[in-house]
Amino acid sequence: MSGLFTDAAKRLAKAMVYAMVSEESIERLKTPKESLIVRIPVRMDNGELRTFQGYRVRYDDTRGPTKGGIRFHPQVNLDEVQSLAFWMTFKCAVLNLPFGGGKGGVAVDPKQLSRFELERLSRGYIDAIASFIGPDKDIAAPDVYTNAMIMGWMMDQYNTIVRGLNPGVITGKPLSMGGSLGRETATAFGSFFTMQTILPKLGYAPEKTTVAIQGFGNAGSILASRLFEAGYKVVAVSDSQGGIYDANGLKISCILREKEASHALKSVYCPGSVRQTVDHPQLLTPEMTKPQLITNEELLTLDVDILIPAALENQITEKNAAAIQAKVIFEVANGPITSDADDILDRKGILVVPDILTNAGGVTVSYFEWVQNRAGYYWSLEEVNQKLESRMIAETEQVWKIAQEKKISLRTAAYVYALTRIGEAMDARGTKSYFLGANR
Ligand code: GLU
């Protein structure tokens, strides 16, 4: 395995030095428990048969069933899915969820598929991986370019195969199919609670804080509007088509309305881009200036207080890290910063709040959904949001404390915290010193 995973594993090597865990635990965590590559044949609307490659990796299940999303994206490959499953392992441990880490994906550009083809692909993927997953074994969820409706099709398909009713095999489902209130907003709200915990410690008040957000999907768009409502000055946003910038601040509520207006149906990929809103400048800024069109690369190096990469991995690398001007980066995407870039940012005094903490709100409410499915008893939105908030704040405080005490980065602190929990669960099954130790 090369590339992304090799880089991801470097974070583990750094944390090892500070965590009190046995060498055996580290040894176990070096490789995934199980990886599956499958072929998914799909009959296209024009009668042709196309095959897609799908993946599911169960990285580690020491603390419970593996848990993680499913991504539909042209770049999906085994290296990426394995890295994402590795990150899920640590993310679940940081939040103390009784889960290990997993991830899945299909290499496809879903925007090129019709709704019928998308449904057939979703069901075909589950046909291919059904024996690998299960409500007590490996629980899937949405990720990049998958949504509640797709999760619903997948749950259906799983249940058809096993001839049962297992809503807990997948989270992020539509509400009417056993989904949880608050799951749609969970990743963004979780990031917001982490920001609200950390930013006051650094002396940032919302009205005086400028923010740039790369990515306007489920996490990026909802976080942008939550920050806007809280009084932050969101000066730049972008999506896969590019971005817009206005030093006076953008009116996020209007951008969202504009994007939603071009949504034909909620389940289908949005054809609009944040860039189109430039045609309606009066909607965007109080001062009625026209936002500037910028590229995704330009957004990353803007002179802002807070930078939020909320799109894909590998966005800040050794190539552009030196040009970053933000003071604090909250990683809402998984893996947006490479380990080389980490070092450069660190030398520049830029604080990075890591993905395995910042974006853990999504899987936290996925856990709540799974609990509700098992109990058959559903919570109010207030209960979900309140439980999410208290968990995010408590675990963010713990990571902050470890970083302060050990004088390490927040990323290494989050890994140390997670590693300690995973290591304890591994060592509870016996270690070399137990088996060869005191009693012999
Ligand atoms: N895909 C999300 C993540 O990367 C959510 C995973 C889940 O809910 O299981 O954290």
Side-chain angles (χ1 to χ4, degrees):
M1 198 57 58
S2 62
L4 196 57
F5 183 72
T6 308
D7 199 59
K10 285 187 189 159
R11 269 70 185 256
L12 180 60
K14 260 194 189 162
M16 232 168 78
V17 183
Y18 301 95
M20 299 286 287
V21 289
S22 67
E23 274 173 31
E24 294 175 14
S25 301
I26 303 292
E27 183 60 27
R28 283 180 203 256
L29 284 168
K30 279 184 185 158
T31 51
K33 181 182 167 75
E34 293 181 280
S35 305
L36 184 67
I37 305 180
V38 294
R39 180 181 63 202
I40 312 161
V42 176
R43 182 71 60 194
M44 307 305 277
D45 293 346
N46 66 3
E48 268 171 29
L49 186 90
R50 273 183 66 189
T51 59
F52 297 89
Q53 190 128 61
Y55 307 86
R56 186 78 195 166
V57 173
R58 302 183 62 221
Y59 199 88
D60 181 72
D61 66 349
T62 310
R63 302 183 73 254
T66 45
K67 179 85 191 84
I70 295 164
R71 176 174 291 203
F72 284 177
H73 193 275
Q75 277 170 28
V76 165
N77 58 56
L78 186 62
D79 181 41
E80 181 190 54
V81 176
Q82 179 171 319
S83 307
L84 289 158
F86 171 87
W87 288 321
M88 286 308 301
T89 307
F90 290 88
K91 194 187 297 184
C92 291
V94 170
L95 267 289
N96 207 10
L97 310 177
F99 291 139
K103 199 80 175 197
V106 178
V108 59
D109 180 356
K111 293 181 182 175
Q112 304 298 321
L113 300 186
S114 74
R115 294 171 196 180
F116 291 113
E117 290 164 349
L118 190 63
E119 184 192 0
R120 288 196 285 269
L121 176 71
S122 304
R123 293 185 186 276
Y125 174 66
I126 294 299
D127 288 341
I129 67 160
S131 58
F132 204 70
I133 61 172
D136 295 310
K137 185 179 177 190
D138 180 33
I139 304 138
D143 196 71
V144 173
Y145 291 152
T146 54
N147 60 16
M149 191 169 204
I150 294 173
M151 296 305 112
W153 289 330
M154 289 183 172
M155 181 196 78
D156 246 7
Q157 193 64 16
Y158 180 81
N159 286 331
T160 302
I161 294 167
V162 303
R163 297 257 177 256
L165 266 181
N166 300 277
V169 70
I170 210 157
T171 57
K173 303 178 289 292
L175 268 185
S176 55
M177 293 175 75
S180 175
L181 288 164
R183 177 63 186 83
E184 200 84 14
T185 50
T187 309
F189 283 16
S191 308
F192 180 76
F193 298 138
T194 296
M195 293 178 74
Q196 291 288 83
T197 310
I198 288 180
L199 290 175
K201 296 184 196 300
L202 307 171
Y204 286 103
E207 317 73 51
K208 295 198 185 107
T209 306
T210 54
V211 185
I213 306 178
Q214 184 203 41
F216 214 66
N218 169 271
S221 66
I222 298 172
L223 180 58
S225 82
R226 182 89 202 234
L227 289 170
F228 174 72
E229 281 162 20
Y232 288 86
K233 211 163 164 192
V234 182
V235 297
V237 295
S238 71
D239 55 29
S240 56
Q241 313 292 305
I244 49 175
Y245 169 71
D246 190 330
N248 296 318
L250 300 160
K251 260 197 201 162
I252 299 299
S253 47
C254 297
I255 301 175
L256 273 171
R257 216 178 306 138
E258 188 72 13
K259 241 194 120 128
E260 262 157 28
S262 52
H263 244 232
L265 188 77
K266 232 180 159 212
S267 63
V268 177
Y269 301 97
C270 180
S273 163
V274 294
R275 296 194 136 206
Q276 288 171 357
T277 51
V278 171
D279 300 336
H280 307 276
Q282 73 282 9
L283 292 176
L284 298 173
T285 66
E287 290 76 11
M288 304 194 41
T289 52
K290 200 174 166 90
Q292 215 179 304
L293 289 178
I294 54 169
T295 63
N296 266 296
E297 294 71 39
E298 285 164 348
L299 181 142
L300 295 173
T301 54
L302 286 175
D303 184 7
V304 288
D305 297 312
I306 313 291
L307 174 63
I308 302 182
L312 292 170
E313 58 269 9
N314 276 348
Q315 298 301 301
I316 303 175
T317 65
E318 77 280 5
K319 290 199 185 81
N320 61 355
I324 304 288
Q325 300 189 66
K327 322 282 181 304
V328 189
I329 304 178
F330 287 88
E331 290 186 314
V332 170
N334 289 307
I337 304 179
T338 63
S339 61
D340 287 345
D342 258 353
D343 297 337
I344 300 170
L345 297 173
D346 198 40
R347 281 200 292 277
K348 283 174 65 99
I350 298 172
L351 186 75
V352 175
V353 188
D355 47 4
I356 58 169
L357 172 67
T358 309
N359 73 25
V363 70
T364 300
V365 175
S366 275
Y367 165 56
F368 297 161
E369 182 173 329
W370 180 78
V371 168
Q372 292 171 76
N373 289 155
R374 291 168 84 90
Y377 180 75
Y378 289 83
W379 309 350
S380 68
L381 181 61
E382 291 68 39
E383 192 172 357
V384 170
N385 283 338
Q386 195 276 320
K387 283 189 159 80
L388 172 66
E389 182 171 1
S390 54
R391 244 178 211 258
M392 289 302 303
I393 294 174
E395 303 301 4
T396 301
E397 290 288 5
Q398 286 303 319
V399 171
W400 182 268
K401 199 165 141 221
I402 295 170
Q404 297 288 307
E405 278 171 10
K406 298 191 186 289
K407 296 189 175 30
I408 52 180
S409 69
L410 287 171
R411 189 189 308 283
T412 304
Y415 275 90
V416 167
Y417 194 34
L419 194 54
T420 308
R421 283 185 170 144
I422 300 167
E424 269 169 18
M426 284 178 171
D427 292 353
R429 276 115 167 159
T431 57
K432 182 178 172 192
S433 61
Y434 169 77
F435 287 108
L436 300 181
N439 300 334
R440 280 175 67 110

